[in-house]
Amino acid sequence: MQRHTGRDMWDMDECQSPRMGSVILGVDGGASNTVCVCIPAAMPFNDPLPVLARTVAGCSNQNSVGEDRARETLERVMSQALLKARRRRSNVCAVCLAVAGVNHPIDQQRMLDWLREIFPSHVKLFVENDAVAALASGTMGKLHGCVLIAGTGTIAYGFTSDGREARAAGAGPVLGDWGSGYGISAQAMTAVVRAYDGRGPETVLTNNILDFLGLASPDELIGWTYEDQSWARIADLLPVVVESAESGDEVANKILHNSVGELASSVKAVVQRLELGGEDGKHPFPLVMVGKVLEANKRWDIGKEVIDCVTKNYPGAYPIHPKVEPAVGAALLAWNAIASELDGDIRNVQ
Amino acid sequence: MQRHTGRDMWDMDECQSPRMGSVILGVDGGASNTVCVCIPAAMPFNDPLPVLARTVAGCSNQNSVGEDRARETLERVMSQALLKARRRRSNVCAVCLAVAGVNHPIDQQRMLDWLREIFPSHVKLFVENDAVAALASGTMGKLHGCVLIAGTGTIAYGFTSDGREARAAGAGPVLGDWGSGYGISAQAMTAVVRAYDGRGPETVLTNNILDFLGLASPDELIGWTYEDQSWARIADLLPVVVESAESGDEVANKILHNSVGELASSVKAVVQRLELGGEDGKHPFPLVMVGKVLEANKRWDIGKEVIDCVTKNYPGAYPIHPKVEPAVGAALLAWNAIASELDGDIRNVQ
């Protein structure tokens, strides 16, 4: 495959279709891939949202692939989305990049700087952590409330209406994200080893996990984990743990209950720091739930248990399961910011 | 540096000093380096043991460096020990390799096969897991009792007099070796993140760990762990955790108490499976304690707490803190096996 420089990509784009109206680009750069959507800037939105184009590329976390490759991936996914939507760069009125690995204002500024090299000064630019897009995917782009993401990893992220933000967890397996898919699976494998050693109770997790992995003995689990310690590979055991809990296994049930406690505690830490529930803790706020750990299973619904646990302290928390993906959340975030600005302008004129 | 093939090394050796008596080679191949000692085969031994030569080389765990390099390292460290002791290969009457990564009879047989290519058939050869050498280092080479190793990782390994063996833990961080130096340090770092998030109690671990690592904020811990996830690097925080506990910090004390429980539970699992304490649990057996986690600190003595915990169930357990290193344990193991054989021969003659 030929590698395009940033300039090539965008020049190629500019000789495409004629101007057909303003658009917004939303990008979600996660741990394994990068998704870009192109939506019309016109409002109000219909349901379902009119996504003009959607493109996918590899990882754009600069901590994983380096800054140059991250930038190239982000440029490519955006230019291809415009191409597919038959729009030109001059049609773009706003861009929101929500990328994993953006944790500091320095990261943010660096990305804003090179985005500005591509898009002229009237284009609104936003750079955020990918958790922010997940929140926006549940709130139609409004940055208010708390999002809980629990997939391979887990993080809770919250915003107040006046722009304060807070996060909890999201620190990775070494630093104890035990409520995540990785955390649940690692605890389940540990329980198998403990039962085998005679250090813990017997559990159906032993047979179920060995069957799932095609291993003959718990001894072989050690070799299996050393082979490749990727978190996603370990987190793939999640359905086996849920199934074991649903069959009544006490060890598996205890692991899932712990996970609920951990996830709820991340949410409560964010809500408390931001006082999202107001002084009496009863004010309403959105709690956006994202990721495979929180999706409903047959009887064991981790997401529902987490919500029950949070609403005991914060009865105003209203759960939202987003109907759109985080890339659309990123686009909505940009759309919402433009709309707020227009509102402000109108108010200022009045 | 010139690389020698196996044959070169040993030929070079054979043109050295004249025959000066039989010797035994003991090799301890751990996670980071390989130590070989050469001791006289004559008995009884004096205290301190007369180590004729000691040589050190890199890692010889074949899971980490591959079989060829592991073999080359082991050959080099042995040939250099003989050279230094001014002995020839024909002086060797027994060799014991105790190497990390030897977990299956297949690994054992493969190493015995190539050792036999070097040493003629009258030389006694032994290949064991490195935990076995640690046990032997406390029992003058007798394989009876239980060893607890708690350094960067942790494992409990036991033998009965009639040759049965059992192990517990030793499965690595993913599979929950929480009593180890890595486990203690990872829990301490997790406690710092939880306190910072508002998910856990305040702790002096925050200031102490940040100072030790030269970081300004708990935020930076995430980046620090992602930079390099080597277990040893994380386990190096152990003294900071012990110091924090000794200063009265509740969080650090709880982590160390958990570690004691984990380590004692590994020992008890092995002792129970092998019935080392006999039917009433009161029979005497050696409990060999090895590794930096078990070494005495000022007030907080993890090793002593583990012993107290084990002896509540097994009052016959008598702790041994080896005075010699595991490589000497490996040599003693070979020495002991030869001595037992001679005893047998004498009894058979009588």
Side-chain angles (χ1 to χ4, degrees), chain A residues 104 167-178 182 186-187 189-190 193-194 196-199 219-222 225-226 229 231 234 262 265-266 269-270 272-273, chain B residues 104 167-178 182 186-187 189-190 193-194 196-199 219-222 225-226 229 231 234 262 265-266 269-270 272-273:
Chain A
H104 288 276
R167 60 177 273 182
V174 176
L175 301 176
D177 284 350
W178 295 120
Y182 172 92
Q187 286 173 78
M189 291 198 295
T190 299
V193 171
R194 295 178 83 94
Y196 186 65
D197 282 352
R199 288 184 291 149
D219 270 339
E220 296 176 16
L221 265 187
I222 302 177
T225 57
Y226 276 74
Q229 299 196 23
W231 308 342
I234 288 169
E262 291 284 319
S265 121
S266 294
V270 167
Q272 187 181 7
R273 268 154 67 198
Chain B
H104 288 276
R167 60 176 273 181
V174 176
L175 301 175
D177 285 350
W178 295 121
Y182 173 92
Q187 286 173 77
M189 291 198 296
T190 299
V193 172
R194 296 177 83 94
Y196 186 66
D197 281 354
R199 288 183 292 148
D219 270 338
E220 296 176 14
L221 265 187
I222 302 177
T225 59
Y226 276 75
Q229 298 197 24
W231 307 343
I234 287 168
E262 290 285 317
S265 119
S266 295
V270 167
Q272 187 180 9
R273 267 153 68 200

Side-chain angles (χ1 to χ4, degrees), chain B:
Chain B
M1 199 187 81
Q2 197 196 331
R3 271 184 69 150
H4 299 291
T5 66
R7 201 48 48 199
D8 284 346
M9 288 189 236
W10 296 107
D11 287 343
M12 196 172 64
D13 150 52
E14 284 189 327
C15 59
Q16 290 300 316
S17 67
R19 186 181 178 90
M20 289 172 64
S22 282
V23 292
I24 293 171
L25 294 176
V27 178
D28 170 44
S32 50
N33 64 14
T34 304
V35 177
C36 178
V37 295
C38 178
I39 66 168
M43 339 168 208
F45 281 138
N46 298 318
D47 184 18
L49 283 164
V51 173
L52 302 173
R54 179 180 190 274
T55 49
V56 182
C59 177
S60 57
N61 182 337
Q62 59 186 14
N63 295 340
S64 309
V65 299
E67 197 180 336
D68 287 348
R69 214 169 124 201
R71 178 175 167 168
E72 196 204 316
T73 300
L74 290 166
E75 287 205 45
R76 189 187 318 120
V77 81
M78 288 190 290
S79 63
Q80 287 176 345
L82 282 177
L83 193 67
K84 211 167 165 183
R86 303 179 62 80
R87 295 297 194 282
R88 306 169 74 172
R89 185 152 46 121
S90 56
N91 293 115
V92 177
C93 68
V95 178
C96 176
L97 296 189
V99 192
V102 172
N103 293 310
H104 288 276
I106 296 169
D107 305 325
Q108 216 167 7
Q109 191 55 52
R110 203 157 41 203
M111 295 188 89
L112 282 171
D113 288 346
W114 68 253
L115 269 181
R116 186 56 77 205
E117 290 173 23
I118 301 167
F119 297 101
S121 60
H122 71 272
V123 178
K124 301 287 176 194
L125 302 178
F126 307 88
V127 171
E128 300 286 354
N129 183 284
D130 60 337
V132 180
L135 173 60
S137 73
T139 59
M140 288 297 281
K142 194 159 180 262
L143 286 189
H144 171 248
C146 184
V147 62
L148 173 64
I149 308 178
T152 296
T154 181
I155 190 170
Y157 215 109
F159 279 88
T160 59
S161 304
D162 58 356
R164 286 180 300 126
E165 55 189 281
R167 60 176 273 181
V174 176
L175 301 175
D177 285 350
W178 295 121
S180 65
Y182 173 92
I184 291 170
S185 301
Q187 286 173 77
M189 291 198 296
T190 299
V192 172
V193 172
R194 296 177 83 94
Y196 186 66
D197 281 354
R199 288 183 292 148
E202 290 299 317
T203 161
V204 301
L205 285 166
T206 301
N207 279 336
N208 293 353
I209 288 179
L210 294 180
D211 277 358
F212 184 80
L213 298 178
L215 302 177
S217 150
D219 270 338
E220 296 176 14
L221 265 187
I222 302 177
W224 185 85
T225 59
Y226 276 75
E227 260 170 40
D228 170 3
Q229 298 197 24
S230 90
W231 307 343
R233 176 172 170 262
I234 287 168
D236 284 345
L237 291 176
L238 176 68
V240 184
V241 187
V242 173
E243 197 186 298
S244 304
E246 287 178 346
S247 78
D249 186 68
E250 274 186 35
V251 175
N253 272 291
K254 198 173 164 192
I255 291 168
L256 294 190
H257 281 297
N258 283 347
S259 163
V260 168
E262 290 285 317
L263 295 171
S265 119
S266 295
V267 171
K268 287 193 261 189
V270 167
V271 172
Q272 187 180 9
R273 267 153 68 200
L274 297 177
E275 292 182 321
L276 288 176
E279 283 184 9
D280 61 357
K282 293 179 181 169
H283 282 215
F285 64 89
L287 173 56
V288 179
M289 310 284 281
V290 175
K292 63 185 174 187
V293 174
L294 305 177
E295 283 162 16
N297 297 289
K298 274 177 282 175
R299 289 195 299 279
W300 234 113
D301 186 337
I302 299 175
K304 185 182 167 300
E305 298 287 332
V306 171
I307 292 163
D308 287 352
C309 195
V310 171
T311 50
K312 270 182 199 153
N313 296 86
Y314 300 103
Y318 54 92
I320 296 174
H321 297 275
K323 291 179 191 164
V324 297
E325 64 179 333
V328 176
L332 288 174
L333 192 153
W335 176 80
N336 203 275
I338 293 171
S340 308
E341 215 164 78
L342 284 177
D343 281 357
D345 289 347
I346 292 164
R347 272 197 299 275
N348 287 342
V349 169
Q350 289 170 339

